[in-house]
Amino acid sequence: MNISMIRYILGIVLKVEGLFMLLPCLVAVIYREKSGFSFVAVILMCMAAGFLLSRRKPSNTVFYAKEGFLCVSLSWVFLSVFGALPFILSREIPSVTDALFEAISGFTTTGASILPDVEALSHCILFWRSFTHWIGGMGVLVFILAIIPMAGGHRMYLMKAESPGPTVEKLVPRVKNTAMILYGIYTLMTVAEIIILIVCGMPVFDSFCISFGAAGTGGFGIRNDSLASYAPHLQVLVTLFMIAFGVNFNIYYLILCKKFRQAFRSEELRAYLGVILATILIITWNIHTRFGNIWEALRHSAFQVGSIITTTGFSTDNFDIWPQLSKTLLIMLMFLGACAGSTGGGIKVSRFLIMLKTVRKELFSFCHPHGIRKIKMDGHLVAHETVRAVNIFLIAYMLIMAFSILLIGFDNYDFTTNFTAVTATLNNIGPGLELVGPMENFNLFSPFSKFILMFDMLAGRLEIFPILMLMNPSTWRRS
C-alpha cells in the first residue's frame, strides 16, 4: 500500500480546507464577529498539519483501488474533524460530539442538525455550515484533481471512490479536465442561483447560504423555519434549482456540447423527471384541503418533492403532519434519491432502473429458459460487473440500515423516529418524521447514537464501500 501518497494527498486536502476557511473569515470581518478568530486558529492548524503531511512529494505516485478508497474515506474524516473545530473554539457548539455531528452533516450534504435555534449562531458560523455543503457536494478530491497537477495512474480511482453512482465515466480523456468541467458547471450553476435569488429580493447573505445548500443538495437553513418564511416566488426558484442539481452533470456537459439528442435520451433523466412530476401531482391532490388552495398545495408539494428526492432537506411546511399517503411517498423518495453523477444522495435512480431491468430479465428467463436477454441503459449494454456492483451495494446498504436502526434503538424512541433518522442520514437527506421531523432536530439522541448516525452520513455520501474499507483488516496489510 502506498502510504506515502495517501499521506501526501491528505496534506493537500487540509491545506485546501484551510484556504476555504478564508471565506467565513471574510464574513466575520464584514459583520465584525469575534467568532472569526476561531477560523484563523483553525486555518493555521490546517496549514501546519497539511505542510507536515505533504512537505515531501513521494517518488512513487501510483496507487490503485484500495489506496483510492482509503484515501477518500480518510480525507472526509480529516475534513470533518478539522471542519468541526471552529464550532468548538467559538463555543457556539461547545460539545465535541455535537460539533463533529454538525460538521459531518455539512460535508456529507445531509443537513441533519443538533441545533434547536440556528438563528442564535453568528453569521460566519452560519456561512461555514452552509459552505460545507458546497464543498462536499461535488467532492473535495474532485476539486483537488481539477486544480492541482498530479501525475500517475491513480486519479480515476479517487474520482470513482468519491463520485456517486454505479459507474463513473470520464467526460474527456484526461481525468483532470473532467474534474475541471464538473467543477466549472457546478460553480456556474451556483453563481447563477445566487445572482437570481438576489435580483428576486432575497438578502445577499441568505442568497449565498441557501444557494450553497441547494447546490450541494444539503439542507442547513439559516432560519429556524428553514425556507417557510421566504416569499413564495423565492421558494419556487429554489425548487427549480434543487431539481436541477439533482440531474447528472454529464447531461449538462452534453447540452453545452450541443449533443441534445444524446442528453435527452437518458433513461435515468426521464425516470427522474417522471417520478418528480407524478409524485407532485399525487401529493398536491392529497394535501389540497390543508391549504384550501390548489396552487398553494402545488407549490408546497413541488418544493418538498424536489427537496426530498434530491436529498436537499429544505422545507416550507411541516410535512410530518401531512396525510399518511404523502408522508409515505416522501419516504419512498428518500430511498430513491437523485441521479448518479449529481450532488444528490440516496440509492440513485440509475441503480433502481438497473434493479428493475434485472428483475425483468429474470422473469423473461423463467418464461423462456433458452432465451437470451441483455440489460441495456440508454441503448448500451450494462456490464455484468455493474449489475453485480449494484446488487452488492444494495445488500451492504440494507445491512447497515438494519444494524443502525437496531443500535439507536437503545435510546428507546419510537420506531418511526429511529427508522426515519437512519433513512435521513444514510441517504443524506436531513429531516425525518416524528421526533426528527422538519421542525425538530437530532439533539435528542445519545452520543452513542449520534456516532452511529455520523457513520451513516459518511457511508451514504461515500456510497458505503470507501468507509467500510477503513474497518477491513486486510486494508491495512502491506501487500
Side-chain angles (χ1 to χ4, degrees):
M1 182 160 49
N2 195 342
I3 296 292
S4 58
M5 193 60 196
I6 294 174
R7 169 187 52 75
Y8 178 75
I9 294 176
L10 290 176
I12 295 175
V13 167
L14 290 180
K15 288 192 283 188
V16 169
E17 183 174 22
L19 292 175
F20 279 142
M21 286 190 184
L22 291 173
L23 285 177
C25 282
L26 178 60
V27 173
V29 171
I30 293 171
Y31 289 95
R32 299 180 181 180
E33 295 172 335
K34 293 182 180 180
S35 294
F37 289 111
S38 62
F39 287 100
V40 174
V42 180
I43 288 172
L44 295 175
M45 293 182 205
C46 286
M47 291 301 177
F51 175 76
L52 289 173
L53 290 170
S54 63
R55 68 186 186 279
R56 285 190 306 174
K57 187 172 182 178
S59 56
N60 177 18
T61 61
V62 178
F63 61 92
Y64 300 100
K66 181 172 75 171
E67 288 93 338
F69 276 50
L70 186 60
C71 188
V72 166
S73 55
L74 286 174
S75 294
W76 281 73
V77 172
F78 273 53
L79 269 176
S80 301
V81 170
F82 280 83
L85 292 178
F87 300 142
I88 300 168
L89 296 179
S90 65
R91 305 299 298 170
E92 298 200 32
I93 307 180
S95 165
V96 174
T97 301
D98 288 350
L100 190 58
F101 186 99
E102 203 77 5
I104 290 175
S105 182
F107 282 113
T108 59
T109 72
T110 303
S113 181
I114 48 80
L115 296 169
D117 182 13
V118 296
E119 294 179 25
L121 299 177
S122 60
H123 289 83
C124 60
I125 291 293
L126 282 174
F127 184 92
W128 177 241
R129 286 173 77 243
S130 297
F131 193 46
T132 56
H133 283 331
W134 193 85
I135 296 170
M138 188 59 67
V140 69
L141 287 172
V142 174
F143 177 79
I144 288 172
L145 290 174
I147 64 171
I148 296 177
M150 298 172 70
H154 57 276
R155 293 180 182 178
M156 200 60 192
Y157 291 114
L158 292 176
M159 185 169 282
K160 284 181 178 178
E162 191 173 48
S163 300
T167 59
V168 178
E169 298 178 354
K170 291 187 287 186
L171 302 179
V172 290
R174 296 184 62 191
V175 175
K176 179 180 178 178
N177 291 344
T178 296
M180 290 177 67
I181 291 168
L182 290 173
Y183 247 101
I185 295 171
Y186 185 51
T187 303
L188 284 174
M189 289 177 65
T190 306
V191 171
E193 182 177 5
I194 292 170
I195 293 172
I196 290 171
L197 290 178
I198 292 173
V199 170
C200 291
M202 185 179 283
V204 174
F205 179 79
D206 299 39
S207 298
F208 274 88
C209 293
I210 299 304
S211 296
F212 290 150
T217 59
F220 281 152
I222 58 173
R223 297 184 182 180
N224 291 332
D225 63 0
S226 191
L227 269 69
S229 57
Y230 289 99
H233 70 281
L234 295 175
Q235 295 174 0
V236 171
L237 288 171
V238 174
T239 301
L240 295 175
F241 274 103
M242 287 189 298
I243 293 172
F245 279 105
V247 172
N248 190 325
F249 276 62
N250 291 7
I251 300 294
Y252 297 126
Y253 175 71
L254 292 172
I255 292 172
L256 289 173
C257 295
K258 298 182 180 179
K259 297 179 180 179
F260 302 109
R261 182 177 296 180
Q262 189 176 344
F264 294 111
R265 70 181 293 188
S266 167
E267 292 182 48
E268 183 182 39
L269 177 62
R270 295 200 301 267
Y272 170 71
L273 296 177
V275 168
I276 289 174
L277 179 60
T279 312
I280 287 173
L281 293 176
I282 294 171
I283 292 180
T284 299
W285 167 79
N286 193 226
I287 66 172
H288 75 278
T289 55
R290 167 173 166 76
F291 296 98
N293 182 320
I294 193 68
W295 299 112
E296 280 288 293
L298 178 62
R299 175 167 59 83
H300 287 289
S301 172
F303 186 96
Q304 216 54 69
V305 168
S307 178
I308 295 299
I309 195 171
T310 61
T311 70
T312 305
F314 286 140
S315 61
T316 57
D317 190 52
N318 185 7
F319 58 81
D320 192 30
I321 59 175
W322 285 6
Q324 197 63 43
L325 174 62
S326 296
K327 290 193 291 185
T328 302
L329 286 171
L330 291 178
I331 290 174
M332 293 174 70
L333 293 182
M334 290 181 183
F335 288 100
L336 178 62
C339 298
S342 71
T343 60
I347 293 175
K348 304 293 183 300
V349 175
S350 58
R351 282 198 179 95
F352 272 100
L353 287 175
I354 291 172
M355 286 189 285
L356 289 173
K357 288 173 182 284
T358 303
V359 171
R360 190 171 65 180
K361 178 187 174 184
E362 288 301 307
L363 291 174
F364 176 84
S365 298
F366 291 143
C367 297
H368 307 281
H370 301 292
I372 298 175
R373 189 179 188 120
K374 299 290 186 180
I375 297 174
K376 293 184 178 182
M377 284 280 286
D378 304 332
H380 302 290
L381 289 176
V382 177
H384 173 72
E385 290 75 15
T386 301
V387 177
R388 175 177 168 272
V390 168
N391 293 335
I392 294 173
F393 172 87
L394 186 63
I395 293 168
Y397 176 95
M398 297 305 295
L399 287 173
I400 289 175
M401 184 169 186
F403 277 106
S404 297
I405 294 171
L406 175 66
L407 290 173
I408 70 170
F410 285 107
D411 283 355
N412 206 30
Y413 294 115
D414 64 277
F415 179 77
T416 301
T417 295
N418 293 341
F419 177 80
T420 57
V422 172
T423 302
T425 50
L426 186 56
N427 293 301
N428 305 133
I429 293 160
L433 298 175
E434 297 294 345
L435 300 179
V436 291
M439 301 302 158
E440 308 297 334
N441 60 74
F442 284 69
N443 200 36
L444 72 162
F445 289 107
S446 66
F448 171 77
S449 292
K450 286 176 183 175
F451 274 101
I452 297 297
L453 297 174
M454 283 187 248
F455 172 85
D456 289 344
M457 288 188 276
L458 287 168
R461 174 57 183 85
L462 298 180
E463 306 228 307
I464 296 177
F465 293 104
I467 202 70
L468 289 181
M469 290 287 284
L470 287 177
M471 299 180 295
N472 183 14
S474 63
T475 301
W476 304 97
R477 298 191 189 115
R478 291 185 178 272
S479 55

